[in-house]
């Protein structure tokens, strides 16, 4: 280990843990970084499953006690991949111990938790970042560059949707993402958070007020393990869905743009359609994650040009393959961790910060409480 | 002239008059109808221009006095193609004279006018229809059939936008469509009305409440004729835009669906993008008028199928060309007039009725007055 | 009738006759022309059906004798909409009588016939044009302008397909288009002729040699009226397909470009996909008739821009509707007849000429006879 | 090291070496395999550069002598990522030593070399596979499944293009891929080989004869290192391009289908467009690598359905991410190596074999020599 090697401890090894591991494992093969990550420990609740995950995903060790990670001197980075209800406790402890913290989104399940995390981040010697990975899609990063360079002129409209369909079936069980105590909210926090961050990132405008509605189409669902039950009555096999199935809102943005947003898990036939279109006085752009290597750009006078964002001069792309040889979902995490390590190594504040994550949380709360009434977001 | 020939008098010969004329001129060459239209008289304000329009577009005569049309016994149908501020007066007079009335949308500039028109329609022996032509796009009519047949299951989401960009340039002049006294409202009434009607038509669900925002990005514009002025000060050359440039709203619909709507003339690069997506429990569909011969349909289990709506069994299509030989904008009007004449000839009530037009007007008013507060639409 | 009114006699009233009629009926409502057509007489084989067609499509009279048309002084234009086996006889007679002749494509069923027609055209005082209507798609005309202006640099590649699927079913009957004596060839002459003309038109390069293959997948089909037969044996109910089902060829073009062409009626799921892509040293363009209002253009450095060819400055478009309000199949014929009348009125030679049609016929013959051997096209 | 660990030695560390390394590094994190690869040694010509490549890409050791790899007992697999002129020598030596061999495509630069390799493969105790990675795109593998299951009926048409544009600029230098002694051929062998393999793989039909043309548009180019030269004359700075820039051919296929193929590096604006469409009697499918997570499928009666090939039941996909979270270019190699290891571990013959690679080479040679004359491929 040299001075520039940073030990990583990752908490959680499910979907997010798997994709973070892929990023940690490969980032240095493609990017020149001032610091090198060492995959030291993965942490989970089940000893056996965690051990298997460690071996499969390339972690040197494993543990079932996340607090032990924080106490280790050879762990410099805590990567939080757990459900939202444990983010605050882990992150605050890690930040107080001076660790660098990468935390999955949404930052927390409540504004209060997010505020406490942002406060801990501000006080800590460790760097912190919230994992809005879609910023690191090359096409999205290019979109930001185009707006930032003035190519679109004054941004007038943002319309963003995040459409999935994995719970359309009423027999889909009541998993943790459908329980408010675990997930905080439903489509709103899970995927709505992404379009809030992406829209604000690309346009450089904050959401300053919203009016909207949320909806829970299927109000009861089978309990996740219910089908294994013996003799339980049908009624007892169901539980109440305590989060939204869908949310939509109209927003005012800080630069005068109008924003329209919608997040749903009931868009039959749409699998992971994070779509955003931005219209400015001099041009427009459009993106759909289902075709993540494309950015559509209008110069204003003509139509939309389909740019394959696979050229060496495009953000992040030079590290990878020749033009037309596209990237996939996992690369957004490799880019995210590249940016995180780069910031740590150069002593910069990573972005998006926990303060940014707090602000997203405030928008989520405003939408959740709106019920058709306009609510301003605290400055 | 036989009993089945109906004389038509058309008021207004600009954009809408031209396209209605094209429909009147050709409808009988493609559709078998119980009554045949005779293009008798076109009415405009300028004698000379109206005479030229009559000759070019195939009207037997012309006049500058719309009241004279109503008095003629050989005029059975009044086709209103004027700006919204004259709809009520002409339509009510025509209906009181027992004429059949086809009226351009939006039905009127205010709810009060629309209500009076609907009342006159209800009392009249003449048939009446409001000209929401996009219902007559074969793909939109097919969409309606699919929902109606249950193919989509319970409709959960409607998202509809109507995007244009023809006033992005701040030097674009203050034409009548940007003046509230002439046009009633801006993007909202002009194109927002179309997505309201299309969404309600396809889903079979009414909008029952809305919350939204409107915006006027460019508040002053050059007067339409200002550039011809002599010595006028620059300030005097500008006038105030009194309508919205854009409007967006979230809606609850009568069948429990969530609706999201946006109408704007500031979507740089979008020319006439009336887009609608409907998600149901068993399937979805999507449409974009910029590719008007296509309907995208998802069966739920897979992706979206691009159906070229040019097969003989598709609505209206059998009258035209072989598969793959698409139709254009004007055909929607030919279909509209076909349906109107069919209803007159068979003694049925054409749809959408003036009552339907009134209901659209109520939604428009609710959006206009919402300013971020939820408003219910009167039942 | 003024001096500038030209009487039209149309031969054939089926598919092509219907769409030509639509063009004759409407062309003057949209275009300012030096001469005005008068729809005088339609000619067909069945007295009753022809009379009905005349009434429906707006022809003043009808006849069953095409020679009578040629004798009439008030008929100045002969419009030939019959199958290919009668083109030569009618066209040559009309040209010898000094009539202007518009002839459907392919010009003839053989090179010999086409050569005789081209010779008659060269000698006649009448103007003549072969009806390659796809040149008159605004997007195709714009494509030609782009190449002609040098925007694409040196053209290196043309790849063009014309894909249909209407005879995939082996039970589809042996209609005239599948009989060599009537149609001359199959997919090759019917739709392959279009991509030859379109490719040569857009690139400005002629095909100078070809090597290719043709195929007849279904060699016997039910006789067209066979299902009405009484007691005929199954074998007797079938007839031999004497034309190609598909043809493909690689070509050298006069400017050094490589051409790849394919025409088939067996492309299941493709309805009328006339597609062409042109690659030049400085840019590219792509077109698909199934989305006929779009042209995709690459400037070379980026991707392809989807241009909605509905702007007033685009070819033919200014006469019609506002941006984004697309045209349909029939408009290509209205434009064709506009160009024909414009040429007649101004004393210019219409394009494509019968000589152009002959050259296409030579390419068709070379492909048909190639059987995998390279054949040069006579200069 | 257990019995099931196989040491890998990779020859070549440039573009192909980088992407193979990524696959070797990650394959076991996602796939359960009967054998585990150990990244032992990478081999290159420059000691220093090879050492750097080893460190960056995760190889335990490095060497500049590929023969030493073959002699090592702890190396069981030789992965050949060099230009085509060295494939035969390395592969044959490795096979004779009983190593398993994965060889980049095209298998060799000549039919003679490929034949010798296929013969060596047939005799060896080692397993061998040629690296046609595009078979391992999930959408392409799904396409194969659909044809194999009979969903498309009898396959009638294959049209495949591989379009790139990276040498359109005449100042692009004379790199090794443009020299016949190094690369064997140009676009034909480099990318044409891929569409031959992909077309044969999907349809299950072999190409049995071809007629086509090749073209070299830019006949001289700057020498690759010429700009560093001192005092050399301008003439001396250029060298002759000895391979094709583009190739196109029409083919007969073993099941009666017609094939049309085109490979070019002069398709301005196309970056890596490996496109294939297959039409059968009962359905069709279409694929474009520039949108590699999509397969378009027509059932015959309607249009084409865009299937996002990201569902757990799709080939290879279950190992990765949730629906809608697409894969990238590199994953095709991970899948390829997964299949290679699976075959080795289970004692099966990997596919495509060196015999398959030989057959592709025969087609390439036939096209190269065709010059417009039909050539049969040896059975």
């Amino acid at each position: 280990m040299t001075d520039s090697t940073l030990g990583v401890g990752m908490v959680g090894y499910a979907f997010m843990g798997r994709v973070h591991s892929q990023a940690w494992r490969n980032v240095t093969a493609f990017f020149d970084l001032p610091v090198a990550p060492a995959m030291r420990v993965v942490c989970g609740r089940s000893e056996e499953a965690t051990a298997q995950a460690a071996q499969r995903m390339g972690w040197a060790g494993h543990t079932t006690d996340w607090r032990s990670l924080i106490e280790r001197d050879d762990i410099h980075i805590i990567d939080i991949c757990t459900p939202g209800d444990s983010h605050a406790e882990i992150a605050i402890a890690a930040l107080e111990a001076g660790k660098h913290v990468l935390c999955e989104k949404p930052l927390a399940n409540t504004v209060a938790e997010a505020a406490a995390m942002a406060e801990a981040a501000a006080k800590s010697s460790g760097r912190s970042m919230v994992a809005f990975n879609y910023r690191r899609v090359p096409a999205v990063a290019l979109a930001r560059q185009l707006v930032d360079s003035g190519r679109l002129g004054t941004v007038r409209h943002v319309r963003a949707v995040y459409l999935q369909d994995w719970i359309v079936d009423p027999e889909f069980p009541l998993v943790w993402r459908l329980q408010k105590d675990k997930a905080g909210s439903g489509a709103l926090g899970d995927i709505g958070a992404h379009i809030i961050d992406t829209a604000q990132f690309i346009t450089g405008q904050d959401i300053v007020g919203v009016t909207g509605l949320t909806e829970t189409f299927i109000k009861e669902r089978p309990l996740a393990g219910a089908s294994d039950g013996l003799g339980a009555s049908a009624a007892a096999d169901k539980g109440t869905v305590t989060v939204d199935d869908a949310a939509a809102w109209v927003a005012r943005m800080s630069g005068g743009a109008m924003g329209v947003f919608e997040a749903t898990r009931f868009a039959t036939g749409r699998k992971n359609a994070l779509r955003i279109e931005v219209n400015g006085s001099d041009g427009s752009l459009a993106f759909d994650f289902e075709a993540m290597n494309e950015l559509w750009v209008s110069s204003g006078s003509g139509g939309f040009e389909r740019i394959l964002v696979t050229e060496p001069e495009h953000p992040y792309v030079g590290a990878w393959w020749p033009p037309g040889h596209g990237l996939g979902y996992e690369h957004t995490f490799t880019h995210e961790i590249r940016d995180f390590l780069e910031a740590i190594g150069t002593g910069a504040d990573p972005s998006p910060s926990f303060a940014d994550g707090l602000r997203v949380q405030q928008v989520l709360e405003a939408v959740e409480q709106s019920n058709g009434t306009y609510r301003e977001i605290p400055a």
Side-chain angles (χ1 to χ4, degrees), chain A:
Chain A
M1 172 180 23
T2 71
D3 283 356
S4 68
T5 295
L6 298 180
V8 183
M10 185 177 79
V11 191
Y13 57 81
F15 172 26
M16 278 301 112
R18 286 178 69 225
V19 71
H20 281 233
S21 297
Q22 173 75 346
W24 289 115
R25 193 166 54 240
N26 292 295
V27 66
T28 52
F30 293 95
F31 293 97
D32 293 314
L33 292 168
V35 292
M39 297 172 71
R40 294 253 152 81
V41 187
V42 61
C43 174
R45 276 176 299 192
S46 152
E47 169 81 28
E48 187 183 343
T50 309
Q52 286 178 352
Q55 184 182 20
R56 168 144 242 172
M57 304 196 289
W59 294 91
H62 69 276
T63 179
T64 58
D65 175 20
W66 63 262
R67 291 181 195 279
S68 72
L69 291 182
I70 292 174
E71 289 162 11
R72 283 174 62 155
D73 289 341
D74 67 341
I75 296 289
H76 309 89
I77 294 171
I78 300 294
D79 181 7
I80 305 174
C81 296
T82 57
D85 60 340
S86 57
H87 286 186
E89 187 179 16
I90 302 172
I92 291 170
L95 287 166
E96 287 177 352
K99 306 298 187 190
H100 307 299
V101 178
L102 176 63
C103 184
E104 261 305 320
K105 46 51 59 183
L107 188 57
N109 278 2
T110 66
V111 167
E113 286 172 341
M117 293 169 77
E119 193 179 341
K123 288 181 187 166
S124 174
S125 62
R127 305 281 172 186
S128 48
M129 188 166 92
V130 56
F132 283 116
N133 63 298
Y134 290 105
R135 288 190 179 202
R136 272 75 185 195
V137 176
V140 172
L142 178 59
R144 170 60 192 148
Q145 287 182 1
L146 292 174
V147 173
D148 199 38
S149 72
R151 278 275 300 277
L152 268 61
T154 304
V155 170
R156 294 276 164 62
H157 285 290
V158 186
R159 65 191 63 85
V161 296
Y162 201 144
L163 309 178
Q164 298 183 337
D165 72 354
W166 53 279
I167 60 170
V168 166
D169 182 353
E171 294 307 309
F172 187 91
L174 190 65
V175 297
W176 71 264
R177 285 186 187 273
L178 305 186
Q179 303 171 33
K180 189 170 178 59
D181 57 339
K182 300 283 197 320
S185 66
L188 180 59
D190 183 23
I191 55 180
H194 276 303
I195 48 176
I196 293 169
D197 182 68
T198 303
Q200 295 187 147
F201 171 66
I202 290 177
T203 63
Q205 295 190 23
D206 285 334
I207 293 175
V208 296
V210 297
T211 180
L213 300 170
T214 63
E215 193 66 65
T216 304
F217 297 113
I218 304 292
K219 294 178 173 47
E220 292 207 318
R221 287 182 177 277
L223 297 175
S227 60
D228 304 330
L230 297 172
S233 71
D237 284 338
K238 292 216 171 187
T240 302
V241 176
T242 47
V243 300
D244 60 282
D245 285 335
W249 63 101
V250 182
R252 293 198 196 279
M253 304 196 64
S254 56
M258 175 183 282
V260 184
F261 297 84
E262 185 181 7
T264 178
R265 293 162 170 166
F266 274 74
T268 304
R270 302 297 180 195
K271 302 306 173 186
N272 203 41
L274 186 166
R275 297 180 175 188
I276 185 164
E277 177 165 330
V278 177
N279 304 129
S281 56
D282 297 335
S284 292
L285 55 84
F287 171 78
D288 179 355
F289 186 76
E290 289 188 354
M292 68 169 275
N293 291 295
E294 302 171 19
L295 184 68
W296 294 75
V297 179
S298 171
S299 65
S301 59
F304 279 71
E305 179 184 358
R306 174 187 180 255
I307 296 175
L308 218 49
V309 189
T310 57
E311 298 294 314
E313 67 270 22
H314 290 148
Y316 305 109
V317 174
W320 299 97
W321 317 117
H325 297 68
L327 301 183
Y329 168 68
E330 71 202 51
H331 296 80
T332 62
F333 291 87
T334 311
H335 301 163
E336 173 177 283
I337 281 172
R338 178 243 168 241
D339 289 346
F340 187 50
L341 293 173
E342 177 75 20
I344 292 172
T346 59
D349 275 323
S351 175
S353 68
F354 277 22
D356 294 327
L358 167 59
R359 194 170 173 84
V360 170
Q361 205 67 38
Q362 290 169 325
V363 176
L364 294 174
E365 189 182 84
V367 172
E368 196 172 29
Q369 298 178 354
S370 165
N371 197 24
T373 300
Y374 189 78
R375 287 175 179 269
E376 296 190 358
I377 312 303

